[in-house]
Amino acid sequence: MPSLSKIPHLFWPPLLLLMLAVPIALAAVFVAKRETRALLAPMDLRPGFARTLEFKAAYDERYEIGLEMDQQVARRLFPCVIDPLAGSRSGCAGKDMPVELSLSLMSGETELWREVYSAKGVRGGRYGGRETYTLIFDYVRLARGRDYKITVQSLHDGSSLASAHPHLVVDVDALAKKSEDGMRSLAMLAAVALALIGALWMSIVFAWRAWSGRRRAKLSST
């Protein structure tokens, strides 16, 4: 392999662009994507049931805390809640999801957040395609690498939701997820742009050197 000192200076800029494009593309493709979901745990919504769960945050981001369940089952049980259009009808008055929880979030010995959540009057939520539906309790900013502990207690009989398999979920806010995906896409676009510019520059240099060689040969023959 020839050393850089033997490569004509005109080839250095396009070569550097191509060399820069490679690690950027590799990083965009192979750097492991951190797990956005910090916690997913089944919940018993019978009155008085309580549990404490520990988890670690992977991002310095805003996390959503909620109750995730099977969307199709929940839609069958509580169509007025799951379907925003149905929820606006007069026949849906009072047909709320029976969820009332006491929640507390701790980091070490410090309480960061406490709330008593009621799904009374709630219509709509977050939809995971056609598979899941999530009641969002609140949003809390967490710190990457820090350990947290959340305590949840059911204050109302929500056992009618058992067939929808409710789970407590702590997940990175959807906007933050889109931001990371966008950064990966931008990195890949940057790598492609650098590679194209480098290749075009290289082809121009080759063409110019070939033209210069022919011109010198023509001049030397006259």
Side-chain angles (χ1 to χ4, degrees):
M1 182 177 177
S3 65
L4 285 177
S5 61
K6 295 182 180 180
I7 298 175
H9 290 182
L10 286 174
F11 287 102
W12 287 12
L15 280 174
L16 289 174
L17 288 176
L18 292 171
M19 292 168 63
L20 183 60
V22 171
I24 293 176
L26 291 175
V29 173
F30 293 110
V31 170
K33 189 175 182 180
R34 290 171 288 170
E35 178 58 55
T36 62
R37 182 165 289 188
L39 177 68
L40 182 68
M43 276 298 301
D44 188 334
L45 297 177
R46 290 174 295 179
F49 178 82
R51 70 181 306 186
T52 297
L53 299 153
E54 297 182 354
F55 65 93
K56 186 189 293 285
Y59 291 82
D60 289 306
E61 283 292 351
R62 192 175 76 151
Y63 279 73
E64 58 185 30
I65 301 175
L67 190 70
E68 183 180 281
M69 61 195 77
D70 184 287
Q71 185 182 142
Q72 299 306 315
V73 177
R75 187 184 298 276
R76 187 177 70 249
L77 295 171
F78 298 96
C80 293
V81 176
I82 307 302
D83 188 345
L85 294 177
S88 63
R89 299 168 189 162
S90 58
C92 283
K95 295 184 178 179
D96 302 317
M97 197 170 279
V99 175
E100 187 174 351
L101 302 170
S102 171
L103 303 107
S104 173
L105 180 68
M106 306 281 292
S107 177
E109 299 300 318
T110 305
E111 185 176 66
L112 304 176
W113 170 76
R114 175 179 288 274
E115 181 174 325
V116 174
Y117 174 85
S118 172
K120 185 176 181 179
V122 172
R123 297 291 183 265
R126 181 168 62 77
Y127 301 85
R130 294 179 177 271
E131 289 74 40
T132 62
Y133 164 80
T134 305
L135 280 171
I136 304 298
F137 303 149
D138 206 347
Y139 296 90
V140 180
R141 181 164 288 277
L142 303 180
R144 178 182 179 182
R146 184 171 296 179
D147 294 314
Y148 296 92
K149 184 165 56 178
I150 188 168
T151 300
V152 187
Q153 181 178 11
S154 179
L155 305 177
H156 188 79
D157 186 4
S159 57
S160 59
L161 276 168
S163 59
H165 308 294
H167 283 67
L168 179 69
V169 61
V170 180
D171 200 355
V172 170
D173 182 18
L175 289 176
K177 291 181 186 179
K178 290 180 181 178
S179 176
E180 175 161 328
D181 290 340
M183 290 298 293
R184 285 176 177 269
S185 298
L186 284 174
M188 184 56 72
L189 285 173
V192 171
L194 287 172
L196 288 175
I197 293 171
L200 179 61
W201 196 335
M202 186 77 74
S203 64
I204 291 172
V205 171
F206 271 118
W208 183 83
R209 284 175 60 84
W211 177 82
S212 297
R214 290 194 299 270
R215 186 169 181 271
R216 285 196 299 270
K218 185 177 179 180
L219 289 174
S220 62
S221 64
T222 58

